[in-house]
Amino acid sequence: MSDPFVTDFDQVSLQVGEGFNLISKEEYLKIPATQRVRQILDRKVQFLNEGKVVPTKAALKTLQQRKMSVIDNDTLSEVSNQAKENS
Amino acid sequence: MGMQVFTARRGAWSRRTAVEVPMLMRKSLFFLALFSLIHIPTMLMAAESSSGFSTDRLWVLLAAALVFMMQAGFLLFEVGSVQPKNATATAMKNLVDWTMVSLAFFLFGFGFMFGTSAYGWIGTDLFFLNGIHAEGTSPLGFEFFMFELAFAATAATIISGAMAERTYFATYLVLSVFVGFIIYPIFGHWAWGNLFIESNNPWLAGLGFIDFAGSTVVHSVGGWISLVGVWTLGPRLGRYDKDGNLKELATTGLAWTAAGVFVLWLGWWGFNGGSELALNDNVGSIIANTNIAAAASGLACFAHCWHFQKRQQITEKFMGGILGGLVAVTACCSVVTMTGALAVGLTAGIIHNISWDFIIKKMKLDDPVGAIPVHLVCGIWGTLCVAIFGQQALLNHPRFVQLGVQAIGILACAIWTVGISIVVLKFLKATTGMRVSPTEELAGLNIGAEFHHVPDEVESIDEDELKALMGDDSEDES
């Protein structure tokens, strides 16, 4: 049975300046992991499936399920440390 | 009786005035029209002889007004074609086009396009219209400026339809300025740079390139920018399904689009007829050619879609096809016979349909109003038609040489317009972003969010949550 809190996505909307750009899932996954994490923390990302907005957590879980992880733990720690140093 | 009127109840007074005032207005208008019919020709003749005023100038100014009215035609066409939730925002973009291009063309655009030529590549004076009445310039002066301004705005407004329903307003505004400021005027100088200063020798015109009223100069320029814009922007959300099949979206009402076609059709009489820049014997045939090509294109387009395209999107294609015929005949309306114009229209209608399916269905370039097949593809075809259907005596070269020159003009337009559009749009994509947010797009742009641009409430995830999510992932992996 499929998990209702896991939703696949095919496009990603990224905020750039005041506007947004729409890119495919493949293009999104080419962005460096640290940058992707930063974008999620800065709330500049919306995931879409067939033209409808998908909850961020549900989209991230899809990546987990498919073993296409958005980020590994080392990168996350690095970003977290950087954020702490900056603050 | 007079007292009765003043002492009558408010309702009775209102009823009486409601009847009498329009009657009075009708009578006044009748006498005004009668007076105009009798006196205006006399006044014109007197003015022409005493102050240098000419019917040519009046005709160009009238044609400018007709071309200006085409903005309203584009507005109706686009508003009718988009989803109701985006109708107002689409209309706003049309207004922005005229506003921005008016300023940009006045400040620099007119000078780059019609100023004293530097080696045939770019105009170097007439900025802020300084020197518009200088020696060696056309006596049309400000009338010419208004006419050409309306043309520049037409090139810009083509893009608003193609990029409708998802473009971020500020980004579009900047693009619109670039079109009026530099993209349109530079190419315009190459082809038409000697229209205002006869001693100019722009390189493309020097080769013998013929584009009478702008199939390439105006329409293809707008079409190429639209192509790059749509490609950079991506389709509207929900326009294609997961397998890439086209999905129909609601429209505000194609009746509005049809009204837009009529307004544009009339405006085109000024667009092509006014491009003669004089009221002479050619104007009538130019307008007749324009009309017959549009009618033939509409018929060919309708019949082709009915028999060969399973009547899919037949209404949209019929209306687009009429415009395609108008665009195609724009380059050649001064050199073809009526039969030639008929041939231009018939072929343009079929080419429009084939390109519509190829661009929108196969290439999946989402163009809500079909601007690319109409303005780009039919613009290219019309430019070639100069050599194919034009009367040899009116061409600058033997037919096949002329065809080569026309192809050079089309290629030059493609290289310049696509090249600079990619630079501008990539820059905008990297700095301001191209689109509105998905939430705004799905809600519709009429609500004003696009203009105030309140960022969405994007679902927030703090670091701990993200860590937890990733932690689960690492556990899975282990």
Side-chain angles (χ1 to χ4, degrees):
Chain A
M1 207 174 133
S2 63
D3 184 346
F5 298 106
V6 180
T7 317
D8 198 7
F9 64 94
D10 52 16
Q11 286 178 307
V12 180
S13 174
L14 290 176
Q15 187 171 3
V16 179
E18 288 252 310
F20 295 77
N21 293 326
L22 198 62
I23 59 172
S24 67
K25 184 178 185 175
E26 291 71 32
E27 283 177 280
Y28 176 69
L29 293 175
K30 283 178 194 164
I31 298 173
T34 47
Q35 204 176 325
R36 275 186 275 144
V37 168
R38 191 74 261 159
Q39 286 163 342
I40 293 169
L41 293 174
D42 290 346
R43 301 210 239 162
K44 288 186 170 180
V45 188
Q46 279 189 298
F47 295 90
L48 296 144
N49 190 37
E50 292 196 53
K52 293 189 176 108
V53 178
V54 171
T56 306
K57 285 174 205 168
L60 290 177
K61 281 181 181 173
T62 315
L63 290 180
Q64 275 187 319
Q65 280 194 342
R66 292 187 175 198
K67 304 288 181 193
M68 293 167 73
S69 110
V70 176
I71 183 172
D72 56 55
N73 279 333
D74 291 343
T75 317
L76 180 68
S77 305
E78 193 184 318
V79 171
S80 302
N81 290 337
Q82 272 181 4
K84 278 172 194 166
E85 280 172 21
N86 290 340
S87 63
Chain B
M1 288 298 284
M3 282 301 289
Q4 282 176 342
V5 171
F6 286 109
T7 55
R9 286 178 296 123
R10 188 189 172 108
W13 169 256
S14 301
R15 274 199 298 276
R16 177 166 179 175
T17 51
V19 173
E20 285 184 355
V21 171
M23 278 292 287
L24 193 66
M25 281 176 68
R26 279 203 291 271
K27 283 178 187 170
S28 306
L29 284 171
F30 174 76
F31 284 114
L32 189 66
L34 197 66
F35 176 84
S36 306
L37 278 174
I38 296 166
H39 289 283
I40 284 180
T42 324
M43 286 161 62
L44 281 176
M45 286 164 71
E48 190 166 358
S49 60
S50 64
S51 66
F53 180 84
S54 72
T55 44
D56 291 344
R57 291 174 69 177
L58 180 67
W59 168 236
V60 171
L61 201 56
L62 180 65
L66 285 168
V67 183
F68 172 69
M69 202 183 64
M70 285 171 68
Q71 295 292 320
F74 279 115
L75 187 151
L76 284 168
F77 191 90
E78 291 170 19
V79 164
S81 303
V82 300
Q83 299 168 84
K85 63 183 180 182
N86 297 320
T88 310
T90 304
M92 286 302 107
K93 285 201 176 73
N94 281 271
L95 274 176
V96 161
D97 279 326
W98 180 262
T99 310
M100 290 295 121
V101 173
S102 288
L103 295 169
F105 202 66
F106 157 69
L107 294 173
F108 293 104
F110 187 77
F112 284 143
M113 189 158 172
F114 296 108
T116 305
S117 191
Y119 309 105
W121 288 91
I122 189 168
T124 54
D125 53 18
L126 297 177
F127 302 121
F128 300 78
L129 305 190
N130 277 332
I132 196 164
H133 288 307
E135 200 175 324
T137 60
S138 163
L140 289 171
F142 286 104
E143 291 83 358
F144 182 81
F145 167 73
M146 287 309 296
F147 186 63
E148 292 301 332
L149 167 62
F151 270 53
T154 301
T157 208
I158 290 165
I159 306 157
S160 73
M163 294 172 71
E165 302 200 75
R166 72 277 205 206
T167 311
Y168 176 43
F169 184 73
T171 302
Y172 182 76
L173 195 133
V174 175
L175 179 63
S176 188
V177 170
F178 266 99
V179 174
F181 172 65
I182 201 159
I183 302 176
Y184 169 76
I186 300 283
F187 182 75
H189 183 80
W190 301 351
W192 290 351
N194 54 356
L195 289 183
F196 195 66
I197 299 176
E198 268 188 48
S199 56
N200 278 349
N201 189 20
W203 74 269
L204 196 52
L207 289 179
F209 178 70
I210 298 173
D211 184 3
F212 179 70
S215 288
T216 289
V217 176
V218 179
H219 295 281
S220 289
V221 164
W224 284 118
I225 302 167
S226 299
L227 183 72
V228 179
V230 168
W231 172 66
T232 316
L233 195 59
R236 287 169 289 174
L237 297 179
R239 180 56 163 158
Y240 299 98
D241 66 18
K242 215 152 197 171
D243 301 322
N245 299 315
L246 190 72
K247 282 165 71 181
E248 294 293 342
L249 298 177
T251 62
T252 304
L254 293 178
W256 293 110
T257 310
V261 172
F262 268 118
V263 175
L264 285 166
W265 200 331
L266 175 63
W268 233 286
W269 296 8
F271 198 93
N272 289 358
S275 290
E276 184 71 2
L277 300 176
L279 189 61
N280 58 26
D281 292 342
N282 298 331
V283 171
S285 70
I286 286 168
I287 293 175
N289 283 343
T290 303
N291 192 65
I292 202 76
S297 183
L299 174 70
C301 173
F302 191 86
H304 177 267
C305 186
W306 186 282
H307 288 290
F308 298 106
Q309 295 184 325
K310 300 176 185 169
R311 305 177 200 176
Q312 287 174 346
Q313 294 90 29
I314 194 164
T315 314
E316 291 93 327
K317 283 176 184 166
F318 176 50
M319 292 190 279
I322 291 169
L323 296 187
L326 288 165
V327 169
V329 82
T330 294
C332 55
C333 55
S334 63
V335 296
V336 293
T337 59
M338 285 285 277
T339 317
L342 192 73
V344 171
L346 289 171
T347 47
I350 294 165
I351 288 169
H352 167 269
N353 279 1
I354 295 168
S355 60
W356 199 102
D357 275 8
F358 180 75
I359 291 162
I360 295 172
K361 290 184 178 172
K362 192 156 187 182
M363 301 294 293
K364 302 188 193 340
L365 291 167
D366 182 23
D367 174 1
V369 301
I372 300 169
V374 168
H375 297 279
L376 175 59
V377 180
C378 292
I380 290 171
W381 174 240
T383 307
L384 295 172
C385 282
V386 170
I388 298 168
F389 297 111
Q391 300 173 76
Q392 181 59 66
L394 299 174
L395 303 182
N396 290 328
H397 301 286
R399 197 171 295 281
F400 281 104
V401 179
Q402 186 70 54
L403 193 62
V405 171
Q406 297 301 105
I408 290 171
I410 292 165
L411 194 66
C413 179
I415 292 169
W416 162 252
T417 313
V418 171
I420 194 158
S421 299
I422 287 176
V423 172
V424 172
L425 286 164
K426 288 280 178 189
F427 174 75
L428 290 172
K429 190 171 186 175
T431 52
T432 62
M434 292 291 292
R435 302 175 66 109
V436 295
S437 74
T439 318
E440 284 174 300
E441 186 177 337
L442 292 169
L445 308 179
N446 286 350
I447 53 173
E450 194 189 8
F451 301 101
H452 304 302
H453 200 71
V454 181
D456 292 328
E457 268 304 309
V458 178
E459 185 188 354
S460 64
I461 297 184
D462 60 32
E463 284 182 27
D464 291 336
E465 278 182 290
L466 198 52
K467 208 176 249 179
L469 274 169
M470 299 311 156
D472 289 342
D473 186 42
S474 62
E475 281 167 21
D476 286 348
E477 279 174 357
S478 63

